[in-house]
């Protein structure tokens, strides 16, 4: 596909924006710019300055626009996802981190801000976005991460090794038994979509790995329930647990945590869009025998 050859960068981006808009891409202008910036090796600021001049469209731009118009995720095309202060490598087989998860990371950072050497674990780390951000932003933190999928584990390994995170491949249900009762914080963004709730966005339905989406059972609550049970096992008494979930699941998760009798201070947290995005709790006393 070479219909952008001979066009200026500004003309090509305008035309690409129209193509992506017609394809139903949610942010056509920004995606058109990011694809051009990816090929040119420049950020958005520099790219937008170039649009004011007579720079030519980059070679291969049409092919990338065509991929994105086919609803291949932008991050799969560029190979990069931006999350808080990190640039993460991503691709097929790993869940693309979402901006709303950044608020979950902030809850952890705020909680450990007065601790000298907090010990934190991220259950179901995916690309490593949560664990990597905590390791990057919290000086002196000892950060662990668990991921079940072999493909996602491979992506996480590349992202987390430079940040000093200890990554293991395992099931969040029974991972890290040698660390029982030693963590200050357990954080998790587990799969939580109900079995029949197929996402409407093609980028999610066709490209995010199913094992990172569906939480198990008709209500999607099997893995979130398991994450809470593992948190109770892994935390010190008084340790902090925070888990991301769908807005409609907030009440159910808060009730589930309270019914176990193992948690105090159960609190629902809103993301920047005002949605009930996460629930936190504090482990009460010494956990009873499993």
């Amino acid at each position: 596909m070479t219909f952008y050859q001979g066009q200026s960068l500004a003309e090509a981006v305008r035309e690409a924006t129209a193509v992506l808009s017609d394809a139903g891409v949610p942010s056509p202008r920004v995606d058109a710019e990011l694809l051009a910036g990816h090929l040119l090796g420049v950020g958005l600021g520099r790219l937008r300055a170039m649009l004011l001049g007579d720079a030519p469209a980059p070679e291969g731009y049409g092919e990338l626009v065509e991929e994105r118009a086919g609803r291949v995720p932008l991050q799969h095309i560029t190979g990069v996802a931006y999350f808080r202060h990190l640039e993460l490598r991503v691709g097929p087989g790993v869940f693309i981190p979402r901006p709303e998860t950044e608020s979950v990371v902030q809850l952890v950072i705020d909680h450990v801000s007065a601790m000298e050497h907090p010990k934190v674990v991220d259950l179901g780390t995916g690309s490593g976005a949560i664990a990597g951000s905590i390791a990057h932003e919290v000086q002196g933190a000892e950060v662990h991460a668990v991921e079940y999928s072999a493909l996602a584990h491979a992506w996480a390994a590349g992202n987390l090794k430079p940040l000093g995170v200890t990554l293991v491949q395992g099931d969040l249900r029974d991972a890290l038994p040698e660390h029982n009762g030693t963590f200050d914080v357990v954080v998790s963004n587990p799969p939580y979509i109900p079995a029949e709730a197929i996402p409407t966005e093609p980028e999610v339905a066709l490209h995010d790995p199913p094992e990172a989406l569906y939480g198990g059972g008709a209500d999607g609550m099997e893995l979130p329930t398991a994450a809470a049970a593992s948190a109770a096992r892994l935390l010190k008494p008084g340790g902090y647990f925070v888990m991301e979930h769908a807005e409609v699941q907030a009440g159910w998760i808060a009730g589930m945590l309270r019914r176990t009798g193992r948690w105090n201070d159960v609190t629902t947290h809103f993301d920047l869009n005002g949605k009930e995005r996460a629930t936190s709790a504090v482990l009460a006393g010494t956990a009873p025998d499993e």
Side-chain angles (χ1 to χ4, degrees), residues 6-279:
Q7 289 184 327
S8 71
L9 177 62
E11 291 171 333
V13 168
R14 278 197 301 272
E15 190 169 328
T17 299
V19 169
L20 297 181
S21 180
D22 289 344
V25 172
S27 51
R29 174 70 184 192
V30 172
D31 284 21
E33 292 175 339
L34 287 170
L35 289 172
H38 169 67
L39 287 174
L40 293 167
V42 300
L44 268 183
R46 174 61 181 153
L47 186 280
R48 287 170 177 166
M50 294 173 69
L51 290 172
L52 302 175
D54 56 0
E59 185 176 350
Y61 187 53
E63 287 81 354
L64 298 195
V65 173
E66 186 175 34
E67 277 194 83
R68 186 67 186 104
R71 305 303 290 271
V72 175
L74 175 73
Q75 297 87 347
H76 284 192
I77 299 171
T78 64
V80 174
Y82 296 96
F83 185 87
R84 290 183 69 94
H85 304 291
L86 299 180
E87 183 176 300
L88 301 164
R89 305 301 301 179
V90 296
V94 68
F95 182 78
I96 296 169
R98 308 299 201 253
E100 52 266 30
T101 304
E102 295 187 7
S103 61
V104 177
V105 173
Q106 192 62 49
L107 290 170
V108 175
I109 291 174
D110 291 345
H111 182 79
V112 303
S113 60
M115 298 182 186
E116 285 193 14
H117 300 291
K119 184 176 179 182
V120 180
V121 62
D122 175 18
L123 299 179
T125 197
S127 65
I130 293 176
S133 292
I134 295 166
H136 179 66
E137 297 181 50
V138 181
Q139 187 173 4
E142 177 187 338
V143 183
H144 297 250
V146 176
E147 176 53 47
Y148 179 77
S149 161
L151 280 174
H153 179 272
W155 288 107
N159 289 325
L160 294 178
K161 185 176 180 181
L163 298 167
V165 175
T166 301
L167 173 68
V168 299
Q169 186 175 356
D171 192 319
L172 63 79
R173 296 174 178 91
D174 56 15
L176 305 177
E178 68 278 16
H179 291 272
N180 284 351
T182 66
F183 284 97
D184 297 295
V185 175
V186 173
V187 58
S188 186
N189 179 18
Y192 51 70
I193 295 177
E196 302 302 321
I198 299 173
T200 57
E201 302 90 345
E203 290 88 344
V204 178
L206 301 178
H207 297 281
D208 273 332
E211 61 270 24
L213 298 175
Y214 299 101
D219 60 3
M221 286 292 103
E222 286 184 12
L223 284 171
T225 301
S230 288
R233 168 176 60 83
L234 291 166
L235 285 169
K236 300 173 181 177
Y240 183 74
F241 173 50
V242 59
M243 177 166 61
E244 182 172 334
H245 48 70
E247 180 182 10
V248 297
Q249 295 167 333
W252 192 98
I253 288 175
M256 176 267 292
L257 292 172
R258 291 188 180 104
R259 284 192 299 273
T260 66
R262 305 176 76 170
W263 301 99
N264 293 326
D265 302 329
V266 177
T267 305
T268 299
H269 301 274
F270 295 83
D271 66 14
L272 294 177
N273 296 314
K275 295 182 178 181
E276 295 176 313
R277 179 58 57 188
T279 297

